[in-house]
Amino acid sequence: ARLELSQNERKKVMQILSGYLNDNSKIVITFTMQALADLAVAEPRLAPQVVKLLEDQVASGSAAVRNRGHKLLKILMSI
């Protein structure tokens, strides 16, 4: 089971996670991308915002970040 979050809590989590996308660690960025995608799958109305964040990472990230981003974008495009 996933942690149930209120709308305000989801908004705060999105803000916090979005900040981690600026980290120097590619591992932190890829795990953040996964967490954002998981949030969007659980709450589909977040998908457009998360897709934009992931597309930005794919456009400018390392090979690992681009690879993870492409996989997550495929999933999000199907919801």
Side-chain angles (χ1 to χ4, degrees):
R2 298 273 181 184
L3 181 64
E4 293 291 327
L5 300 173
S6 70
Q7 184 174 354
N8 286 337
E9 290 168 332
R10 281 191 297 273
K11 184 176 179 181
K12 184 67 174 170
V13 168
M14 288 284 294
Q15 291 172 343
I16 291 168
L17 289 174
S18 295
Y20 284 121
L21 292 173
N22 298 317
D23 199 275
N24 291 328
S25 169
K26 303 310 174 208
I27 293 170
V28 169
I29 293 170
T30 57
F31 276 94
T32 298
M33 292 167 60
Q34 182 68 59
L36 286 166
D38 290 346
L39 269 177
V41 168
E43 184 64 46
R45 68 178 185 78
L46 297 175
Q49 183 180 358
V50 172
V51 164
K52 173 68 174 123
L53 291 170
L54 296 184
E55 286 174 340
D56 290 346
Q57 292 301 311
V58 167
S60 63
S62 69
V65 169
R66 288 191 312 269
N67 184 44
R68 173 63 64 168
H70 285 300
K71 289 179 182 180
L72 294 172
L73 286 168
K74 270 186 180 178
I75 292 167
L76 293 179
M77 295 300 189
S78 70
I79 60 170

